[in-house]
Amino acid sequence: MPLPLLNYIAFSGIFILLSWAIYLPYRCGQLYLAPVYSMATGAYFAAYVTTEWNWPIVLAILSSPFVGAFFAFLPALGLRKAPGFTTAIASLALIFIIQTIVMNLKILGGHSGMFGIPALEYPLTTILIVLLVAGIIVYRIDHSRFGRAAELLYYSSEETACFGVNMALVGMLLQVLSGALSGIAGALYAFTVGSVFPGAFSFSMLLVVFSAVFVGGNLTMWGALVFAPILWGLPLILPEAIAEWKDVIYGGLLICILILRPEGVISKETVREVGDGIRKLARMRRRVFG
Amino acid sequence: MLKKKIERIFVCLFGLLLSVSFVIAPAIGAEPVVKEWKVPSLIFLTGPYAGFGKQIKWGTDEAAAEINAAGGIAGRPLVIEWYDTGMDPAKAAAEMSKVVKSLTIFGPVGAPNCKGALPLVVREKGFAMTVDSGAEVVSEFFPYTIHNSDMFERVTPPATRGWAKRNPQMKTVIQFVFPFDPTFTDVANYQAKTLEAQGIKVLPNVEISESVDLASAVIKAMGQKPDGFTIVTLPMDGAKIIKELDKRGVKDKSRVLTFPVVDDQSFFDLAKGYIDGLYIWHFQNVLSKSPRWQAFNAKWRKAFPDSQYATFGTVCHYDMVYMFKAAVEKLGITGDPTKVVEERNKIREYCRNVKGFPGLQYNFDMVDGLGKTPTFLFRIENGERKLVETYPPIK
Amino acid sequence: MDVFFAQFINGLAVGSMYAIVVTGFNLLLLVSGVVQFAYAHVVVIGMYATWIALRITGNNLIFAIPAALLSSTLLSILTEPLFRPLARRRAANQTFVMSIGIALILTHIMAKHLHEGMPIAFPESLSSHAAAIRFGIAALSIGQIYTFLGTIVAVTAFMYLLYRTMTGRALRAMAQSPFVARLIGIPTTKMGIASYGIAGFLGGVTAVFLAMALGSAYPALGDALGVKVIATALFAGLGNLRGGLICGLILGVTEGLTAGYLPGQWSNAMAFAMIMVTVMFKPTGLFGTRV
């Protein structure tokens, strides 16, 4: 498989995971920007255990979601009930804080960061398996009691509380899951690039991810899945003269979508229509072939 | 009705953009044509430093144009393919993955991009000419890359000593340091060690924050009543610091030393009128009488009328292109795609150890991938830059 | 002790810059329910407009101020139709995301098309960095003094506008309930556009003050200020004008003191941590949201 394609798939996978990490808390209306913070913890964890303690890569990947989840759990204690917009700024603070902390820890390489991180042996397989498992988990959450409760919270928190929904619990669960997804995204980042340093985990990481969720579809998980690879891949494929305008393109897309179709390109109706279409095809096939 | 129309136009435009990209995609990974030297070059053309990237790109393109006007490299034209990395390690890694198997790569530039893209070069045993991103950062990825100046550990002491000697009354010094880039912290450490060896007490560094106003850092520094100050920051921050020092009573700027990164047109624009007496050290001698440099700088002023001197990054990249030309011609490189690994290794070894390479301002040797370049100490006197002392390269 | 005093004075000067930008931001938030992250970018473009006017007219200050006012007011009014559909639905989250899109475009324009993305410097006649007042190492330039006084005047003027005039009452009515405001005959669309215009005008004034106080501008300044502005507004309580003024000053002083007594890397993290902890315990902000 050609190297650019492999790199593209790896980063698409990482951005899909991060997009789901933003999507989950947004289900209950919280604009949660801390995935970069959890990603940094997962990446540094994976880098450290494979270079200093010689852990096998598989073990590092399997443990990174727990690291990310733990680090998301701590601030979630205070942020789980925060109104949607407040979470944005509070989680922004976490990005500053984690950058400063890793910069000052000599065992994590300080300013220079860590390099010489081993590469994935079977990158394509690993990424696809991680995406599949993560996707199934996100799907199950979406279609469970929690998912429905989160959806109600999105529309109104007071009325939802009347139904006996524990907002704190829902918020906590979604943020911790978000942390887990970001943690594993971080580990994959470390193994794909081969080095981690404090400056790698900054706001620019959020740009593609944000656009994927809000342009792609913020009320279903499929929006991020389809649009993260498109929005990441477009500047890589377009000729330089156009790719230089990528900030304007992202900005313009966000503005247009919010005015024309605020639920994103892939809305719940789209998913339902696609689902119906597939069911119809399956029925026709059964009728034809018996 | 109007909304549906707009929606439809939007979808069509998006679809067009998508289809255009699919048409262009197959072009990536196409075999290099042996009739030309196609060299990929990675630089930041977007993002907050895009202006600096554009200057470096100009220098590289200028070298290529000159070479092609004089007949090309071994009779074939040089075509540079530009890839934008922004200041984004992920993007740098992605662009590098497209070109890592090339004969030679120009760039990437900037510590974040190097950290993102160079591990791949090491894994694939490629060759990236990252001539100006901080020797300490780049040397982590040796031997698969080179750097046109020596480790800061070696080149910092002479100029620092020169400054200390010219300020014999200095007993204590404090340093302003930009803490978000490892190179800056390293230079500050080396300056500190040198000064302490001269018997000068170096107070703990004042790290500047990413803030719109740096007066708090200056107040913190001045509160400790140092005799001298060094500035190890970005040019714009350096200018703010100088103005704050002046505002709070530091009128004699010979007590202040700035390091190479600060020496940029943007620093002079922002700090105009506040820098008389200031000492500056650098790897490049903008006052060089070399005719090549004078001619080059004349072209630079036409392209960038607001800027007095070409930047060191531009000069390094100009030299880089000529070094590539020298390697190809001296080694008889054919550019044959089937021999790319063998020829790349030859070019790499040549560039890592070429002796007496004719740079734009002076000749220099490459030793194990590092350029052994002289350093220069300047002083601003009556608004004009004067060369105070030259220090030979450290063997 | 004089170090502490100097840091404090400087903190107030920096804080007043945040406070004056927050005032315009809060106005848009109050009246239209719009979280305009790009408001800071509109102000910075005003600074660029000032610089361009000065360059074209040979540093003639008479043209600098109208240039800033005109560009900021126009730019702000131009964003109104973009926000209108979202403001109608009162979707605060979405206005924030939209404003990020606008900020991206404005930063791109500054980084690619205005002075090659290099920082711009204002002439000494506008932004002298000489100390107008100085005690030991504490010093304030004339620009900083103007900004500080200007902030107090601006906030007072706005509070007067909102609480003592009919226009202000109409704007507050729109903030409480656009539906009822329309019912009682307030021309909500015209008032909405007017509020963008007023915020833009204040943005132009802010641009001139910032040019005087900072002496320079650069493309990333929009993002740097924008983040501080939103954080200050949340810290104080969304829409609270008086709270915004006080919290802007608190933020400036906190940043100064943390940079003064802790390593510089920590100052941003500490300032945001303080805000994060506050909103965790009091989500409506220190002074509460207020119409």
Side-chain angles (χ1 to χ4, degrees), chain B residues 265-284:
Chain B
Q265 188 64 42
S266 53
F267 170 74
F268 294 108
D269 283 342
L270 266 56
K272 197 160 61 174
Y274 292 93
I275 52 173
D276 232 46
L278 181 68
Y279 280 95
I280 304 170
W281 73 270
H282 208 343
F283 304 112
Q284 73 161 342

Side-chain angles (χ1 to χ4, degrees), chain A residues 3-4 7-8 11 15 96 99 103 111-113 115 117-120 189-195 197 199-200 204-205 227 230-232 234-240 242-247 249 252-253 256-257 259-261 265, chain B residues 3 6-7 10 14 17-18 20-22 24-25 28 45-47 82-84 86-91 93-101 111-117 119-120 123-124 140-141 179-182 185-186 207 210:
Chain A
L3 210 53
N7 183 287
Y8 168 73
F11 272 104
F15 285 124
F96 281 119
Q99 268 198 338
M103 225 186 296
H111 295 102
S112 305
F115 55 97
I117 305 171
L120 292 169
Y189 174 90
F191 295 124
T192 306
V193 173
S195 71
F197 69 106
S204 52
M205 191 71 61
F227 272 80
I230 294 179
L231 289 172
W232 165 244
L234 223 50
L236 295 177
I237 297 180
L238 289 174
E240 279 308 319
I242 305 183
E244 273 177 33
W245 291 82
K246 78 167 197 297
D247 286 338
I249 295 177
L253 276 174
C256 291
I257 278 290
I259 295 178
L260 297 173
R261 203 176 153 98
V265 172
Chain B
K3 184 167 166 183
I6 296 176
E7 248 177 273
F10 176 63
F14 194 72
L17 207 64
L18 216 55
V20 163
S21 58
F22 279 117
I24 298 174
I28 299 168
L45 296 171
T46 55
W82 289 98
Y83 294 84
D84 173 34
M87 257 314 167
D88 183 2
K91 183 111 196 297
E95 301 291 351
M96 181 60 86
S97 69
K98 291 183 197 167
V99 301
V100 67
K101 296 208 190 315
N113 296 324
C114 287
K115 289 201 183 275
L120 190 56
R123 279 184 197 164
E124 299 290 322
E140 286 170 4
F141 305 98
F180 301 100
D181 185 318
T185 330
D186 288 338
E207 292 176 341
E210 282 181 316

